[in-house]
Each structure stands twice: as structure tokens, then as C-alpha cells.
Amino acid sequence: MEVEQEQSNIWEGYVDWKKRPAIKGHHGGMFAASFVLVVEVMENLAYLANASNLVLYLIQHMHFSPSKAANHVTNFMGTAFLLALLGGFLSDALFTTYHIYLISALVEFSGLVILTIQARSSSLKPPECNPIEATIPCQEVQGAKAALLFLGLYLIALGVGGIKGSLPVHGAEQFDDNSIKGRKQRSTFFNYFMFSLSVGALIAVTLVVWIEDNKGWEWGFGISMLTILLSIPVFLAGSGFYKNKIPSGSPLTMMFKVLIAAILNACVARSPSNAIVSMSLSPKDTQQQQTVTKDLEETETPTTSLKFLNHATTNKPAYTFLQCSVKQVEEVKIVLRVLPIFGCTIMLNCCLAQLSTFSVQQASTMNTKIGSLKVPAASLPVFPVMFIIFLAPIYDHIIIPFARRATKSEMGVSHLQRIGIGLLLSVMATAVAALVEIKRKRIAMRAGINPHEPLPITFLWIAFQYLFLGSADLFTLAGLMEFFFTEAPANMKSLATSLSFASLAMGYYLSTVIVSVVNSVTGDSGHPGWLSGENLNHYHLEKFYWLMCVLSALNFLHYLFWARRYKYQSTGAKL
């Protein structure tokens, strides 16, 4: 009896930081996850403090052209988010999320050390110049100095990717998936993860950016360096309370095995040479095949969805090393079912990238004064961040409890409903952006003043589209992370959750492609494209926003097609 009771108090499949069995009541829970939330504030501060203002550093101190600097920043941010897939894969396959965070934080710290030293030392940067005076030409950074710059940047990207792929999953794993209380607490965690991410971003784009602009970039890089370094002891302080999931091997290997087995078994089953393959099996292979066949027969039958994959569970597979269980096939089906949902969120992140870019340029032509305070146009990202900080507690403590009472369900608002609300808000954001741009251009045409003078219209009009953008980000990103985490098989939760950040990366890349295509299609020898030229007032930005609105609306309809057909796998996820 004592042995059974002791086993029932153990988190199955989890260990503590000393690799001993994790104990219920001592390991896991909201207290353990609270360390993750504090660390996320520090981690995102360290990352965004530089990413949000990096283009100016590359132009002013590394002497890149504006277009090259913008491309380098886009590549850097896109790579950082894509590398979340690597962090998620390693967390599932080889290491715990606990160890991946520590390793990734040290990698990001080393990159920031390099950039801090380079920013501090004039000998590691190109010579100072004056772009106005031709007698002192600017030289773009090159050679060993450029190598040092990109080494620092991509070490940061590697570290950020590892953190994004492990930290949210590490926090979500602290809750009991088998209890209603645990699932509700996990939902609260994801809401406050977005809150923490936004708090870090707010400090980064205000205080640290001001320090970089007024005190020097070595101070900005140095603050980020110290912040990520201090996040390590904060994270370690929770070591005695964490439960860490034991890695279960490469999930990709299992996925490829099922896919290859389904293809080969289907082809061989249709071929008369199947008999020859069976005759060529050795007695040992035949015995192994019979054993696995018996195991498969004892398990449940595969589902009828994605029936092609059921060939992987055939009783007489073409090759014995491709033996697959029904469980493995069903896990691969789960992953394939969530991929369309993932694909539908890329367009939202494309809108985020476009609006964040062009909205700053719009604001730079407008009156940016609030009373006697002049606000830099580059500080516009503060608006969506502040909206998220304001909305996250309201959503978790007011909206969700009301929805639970109204629907008499555990979730209140399902994951797919939450993602859909975010996608719908992104459609509204692009429509509002188009209307604001129409208003701005009408005033510009009536004013007829110097293009270098601010227009008589306040930049707070831009805040309306950011209201919808911030809300869309809160609903979709938090909903997507929770959706992937809860729906994914146990052996690939980190990899699946990191798809949320991969969607961000692909959104950035898609935005670049769309702008290039639009300019190519709308421009000819006599007329520039919609988004070409030096003067923003000559752009057809309102037409571009309407195009994005239409694409977002079509994407939303596409999402509804897949969401209506999706069947939840996790307990308590369905309303």
C-alpha cells in the first residue's frame, strides 16, 4: 500500500533538476511557473531592446544603407523566431526545457558580450564619418569587423530561438493536464506569458531605446547583456520547484518513419512483387514481423481520417524496420491536422510586420506632440504593447469567467475560437489602417506644406489600428501556443509550441515578398509602384492596406474551413 501511495504521488514522466522523480504537491504548479513569467520579462527586454532599434545602429555606426540595414534586421529577427523550432526539437529529443533555457541564455549572453565590446571600441567599428560632407565618406563595415558584428547578432538569434522554443513550454509543463484546475491554471499562464512578454517589450522600447539614443549603444547592449545574465539566477531560483519532462527521443524520426512506411507499404501492397518481398524475408525477420503484427492486432484500430497513413500499420509491411504502431500513426495524424491552423496564422503576422513598418513612416509625417511632449515615431510599438498589458488581465479575470458561466464549459472560449477572433481583428486592423491613411492623405493634399514639416493631424490616429493589432496578437499568439501545447502528442509538445514563433518568422518573410510583388505588378516604366518613391504622400498605401484587408478576410474564411472540421484531441479543450 505504501509503495502504491508513493507511486501515485509521483509525476509520471517528470523529474526534478537532480533527475529524481518529481513529487506532486512539491514540484509544479503556479508558483513554479511564476519564475518563468519573471524570466520572460527579462528575456524579452534583452532581445527587443536591440531588435526594435537595431536598424539605426546598423545605419549610423556600421554605415549600411537603409535598405541593407532593414534587410539585415528582418533576416535577424526572422532567423531568431525560426530557430525556435530547433529549441523545441532539442527540448523534446535530447534535453529538458530546463537545460535548453540555460544553454540558450548563455549563448545569447555571449552574443551580447561581443556586440557590447564592439560598440564600446572604435577600433572594432568602421571609421566615423559625416554623410553630409563628401570629404569624409562613409565606409560600410566589412572584413573582420563585419564578421564580429554578424557573429554577435546570430549568436543572439540562436539563443533567442532556443529560449522561445523552451521557456513557454517549461512553464506550461508545470500544470496537471489531468485536472480541471490544472488546465485552467495553464490557460492563465499563457495569458500572463503574453503579459510578461509585453512588459519586457515596454521597458525595452522606452527606457532602453532612450538610453541607446542618448547615452550610447554600448550602454544599450550592456543593459541587455546584464539583463539576460541576471535572468539565469532568477530561473535557477525555481529549480527546486520545477518538474522537468524526460526527453523521449526525436519526434521527427517517428514522423518520417510513419510517412515513409505509409508510402512504401501502399506501393508494395499494389505491386505483385509483394509476394517476392515476403518470400525474401529471413526466418528471423519473419519472427519479428509476426511479433509486431500481434502487437498491432492487440491495439485499437486506426481512425478513418487521413486514411493513407493507415498503410503504415499494415499487418505485413514491406520492410520490418518500418513497423509502426497505431499510436505512432495517430500521433502523426494529430500533427498533420494542426498544420493548416498554423498556416492560417502566417497572414496575421504578415499584417503585423507591414503595419509596424509603414505605420511608423505614417506617424513620422504627422504631429507627434502630446501637449508639450514630442513622442518619437519609432516609439509607436508602445501602443500594441500597452494594449496587451491592459487587456491580458481583463481577458483572464473578467471575459473568460463570464464566458465559462455563459457556456457552462471548462474553457469558456476554445483555442480555435480565440485564434479566430484574433484573425478577425487583424482584418479590422487593416481596414482601419486604410481609412486612417485616406484621412492622412486628404489632409496632406489640402495642407500643401513642406513635406518635411509635420501634417496638422495627430499621430494618435495611428493608435486605432494598433488597438486592433494588439488585441489580435493577444488572442492569436497566446491561443496558438496553448492550442499547440495541448493538442500535440506528449513527445513533441516543445516542437509544436515553437510553431507559434515560426509563424511570426514566416509572416516577416511573407511581408517582404508581398511588398516586392505589389511594387512589381503596380509599377511600370512610366509610373512607380504603390510603395515606391521618397515621399510617403505619393504612395498608394491606402490601396495596399485594402489589399491586405482582402487577403486577411480570405485567410479568415480559409481558417474557418479548417477550424470547423478540426476535432480536439486534448481533454477539456472542446466546448
Side-chain angles (χ1 to χ4, degrees):
M1 289 292 293
E2 291 182 0
V3 174
E4 292 180 0
Q5 186 176 3
E6 184 176 348
Q7 289 178 343
S8 65
N9 289 331
I10 292 176
W11 290 109
E12 186 177 352
Y14 291 88
V15 294
D16 65 5
W17 70 289
K18 293 184 178 179
K19 297 184 178 180
R20 299 172 302 191
I23 308 298
K24 293 181 179 180
H26 180 71
H27 298 104
M30 187 59 79
F31 182 73
S34 64
F35 290 93
V36 173
L37 296 177
V38 175
V39 168
E40 177 55 28
V41 173
M42 304 174 76
E43 180 275 326
N44 209 43
L45 189 161
Y47 169 58
L48 279 185
N50 304 303
S52 61
N53 208 26
L54 184 61
V55 66
L56 293 180
Y57 178 72
L58 296 181
I59 293 172
Q60 296 172 0
H61 298 276
M62 296 298 163
H63 305 154
F64 285 108
S65 67
S67 60
K68 276 190 176 181
N71 285 337
H72 284 313
V73 172
T74 302
N75 292 337
F76 163 71
M77 297 183 72
T79 301
F81 288 129
L82 269 184
L83 285 172
L85 292 174
L86 176 62
F89 170 78
L90 293 175
S91 298
D92 287 327
L94 300 174
F95 306 96
T96 63
T97 52
Y98 176 86
H99 291 107
I100 290 295
Y101 176 80
L102 293 175
I103 295 169
S104 301
L106 289 173
V107 171
E108 183 177 352
F109 171 74
S110 63
L112 286 166
V113 168
I114 291 173
L115 293 187
T116 303
I117 293 174
Q118 185 175 39
R120 178 71 176 173
S121 175
S122 58
S123 62
L124 298 177
K125 295 183 292 187
E128 292 291 335
C129 68
N130 189 339
I132 299 177
E133 297 181 13
T135 55
I136 312 176
C138 293
Q139 297 180 3
E140 183 179 302
V141 66
Q142 56 188 341
K145 297 175 182 178
L148 191 66
L149 170 67
F150 290 112
L151 175 62
L153 281 178
Y154 284 94
L155 280 174
I156 294 173
L158 179 61
V160 168
I163 291 172
K164 300 298 186 188
S166 60
L167 190 61
V169 178
H170 182 74
E173 286 178 343
Q174 304 307 313
F175 303 101
D176 184 6
D177 189 53
N178 297 317
S179 72
I180 294 176
K181 179 182 178 182
R183 292 191 293 269
K184 287 183 176 180
Q185 286 181 331
R186 184 179 61 202
S187 181
T188 295
F189 166 78
F190 278 113
N191 289 327
Y192 275 93
F193 187 85
M194 286 295 298
F195 177 87
S196 298
L197 186 149
S198 300
V199 170
L202 179 63
I203 300 172
V205 300
T206 53
L207 176 62
V208 182
V209 166
W210 183 88
I211 292 174
E212 288 170 344
D213 291 342
N214 293 275
K215 300 296 182 181
W217 273 87
E218 64 271 23
W219 287 96
F221 287 132
I223 290 172
S224 297
M225 178 185 69
L226 291 175
T227 302
I228 197 66
L229 181 63
L230 289 174
S231 75
I232 296 177
V234 172
F235 183 79
L236 289 174
S239 297
F241 306 99
Y242 300 142
K243 61 187 181 83
N244 305 306
K245 189 170 183 59
I246 302 172
S248 54
S250 171
L252 295 181
T253 302
M254 182 269 288
M255 290 184 62
F256 285 126
K257 177 184 174 182
V258 170
L259 293 173
I260 293 171
I263 294 171
L264 291 181
N265 290 344
C267 293
V268 172
R270 296 169 186 167
S271 172
S273 62
N274 192 21
I276 299 176
V277 173
S278 299
M279 292 174 60
S280 65
L281 293 174
S282 66
K284 183 178 179 181
D285 290 335
T286 303
Q287 184 179 2
Q288 291 178 347
Q289 186 179 31
Q290 292 173 348
T291 301
V292 176
T293 298
K294 183 178 179 181
D295 292 339
L296 290 175
E297 289 174 347
E298 292 175 351
T299 60
E300 61 183 27
T301 57
T303 57
T304 56
S305 64
L306 298 173
K307 295 173 73 171
F308 175 77
L309 293 177
N310 293 347
H311 288 294
T313 63
T314 181
N315 291 340
K316 294 182 180 180
Y319 305 98
T320 54
F321 67 87
L322 291 177
Q323 301 283 5
C324 298
S325 67
V326 173
K327 180 183 177 183
Q328 290 174 326
V329 171
E330 292 304 313
E331 287 179 348
V332 173
K333 287 182 180 181
I334 292 172
V335 175
L336 294 181
R337 289 191 198 104
V338 303
L339 289 181
I341 304 297
F342 159 77
C344 291
T345 61
I346 295 174
M347 191 64 203
L348 164 66
N349 292 309
C350 178
C351 292
L352 287 170
Q354 291 296 349
L355 290 176
S356 299
T357 303
F358 288 118
S359 294
V360 173
Q361 295 184 45
Q362 287 174 282
S364 66
T365 70
M366 303 164 79
N367 181 8
T368 60
K369 286 186 176 181
I370 301 178
S372 60
L373 176 65
K374 186 172 183 180
V375 181
S379 294
L380 269 176
V382 167
F383 285 110
V385 165
M386 291 181 67
F387 285 135
I388 292 174
I389 292 174
F390 176 73
L391 287 175
I394 292 177
Y395 179 82
D396 191 72
H397 296 291
I398 298 177
I399 297 176
I400 287 298
F402 174 78
R404 284 171 177 159
R405 289 193 297 270
T407 61
K408 294 181 172 58
S409 64
E410 179 183 318
M411 291 292 297
V413 178
S414 71
H415 303 141
L416 292 179
Q417 287 175 339
R418 182 172 184 176
I419 295 169
I421 291 171
L423 294 179
L424 184 60
L425 287 170
S426 72
V427 178
M428 298 171 67
T430 50
V432 170
L435 294 173
V436 170
E437 174 61 8
I438 291 173
K439 180 179 180 65
R440 190 195 68 83
K441 286 186 70 174
R442 284 176 179 172
I443 292 177
M445 292 176 63
R446 288 201 303 264
I449 59 176
N450 188 324
H452 298 291
E453 293 292 326
L455 297 173
I457 177 176
T458 176
F459 80 121
L460 292 178
W461 280 98
I462 304 293
F464 284 108
Q465 61 208 52
Y466 275 115
L467 169 63
F468 290 101
L469 269 179
S471 303
D473 201 19
L474 171 64
F475 277 93
T476 299
L477 183 56
L480 200 60
M481 284 194 294
E482 187 175 2
F483 171 71
F484 285 144
F485 181 86
T486 56
E487 292 296 289
N491 64 337
M492 58 179 75
K493 287 190 178 295
S494 298
L495 181 62
T497 306
S498 62
L499 285 173
S500 308
F501 296 101
S503 175
L504 281 170
M506 297 180 73
Y508 278 110
Y509 294 142
L510 180 61
S511 69
T512 303
V513 172
I514 289 180
V515 170
S516 300
V517 170
V518 166
N519 277 333
S520 176
V521 171
T522 58
D524 53 39
S525 57
H527 301 87
W530 285 358
L531 307 174
S532 299
E534 297 296 328
N535 191 341
L536 187 70
N537 294 330
H538 296 159
Y539 279 30
H540 293 286
L541 193 55
E542 73 286 355
K543 294 181 179 179
F544 177 72
Y545 281 151
W546 285 126
L547 173 63
M548 296 295 289
C549 182
V550 171
L551 292 176
S552 297
L554 293 174
N555 179 68
F556 177 68
L557 296 177
H558 182 221
Y559 171 80
L560 290 180
F561 172 83
W562 292 106
R564 287 172 62 87
R565 285 158 178 78
Y566 187 84
K567 293 183 179 180
Y568 286 99
Q569 309 297 317
S570 56
T571 305
K574 187 175 181 179
L575 292 181

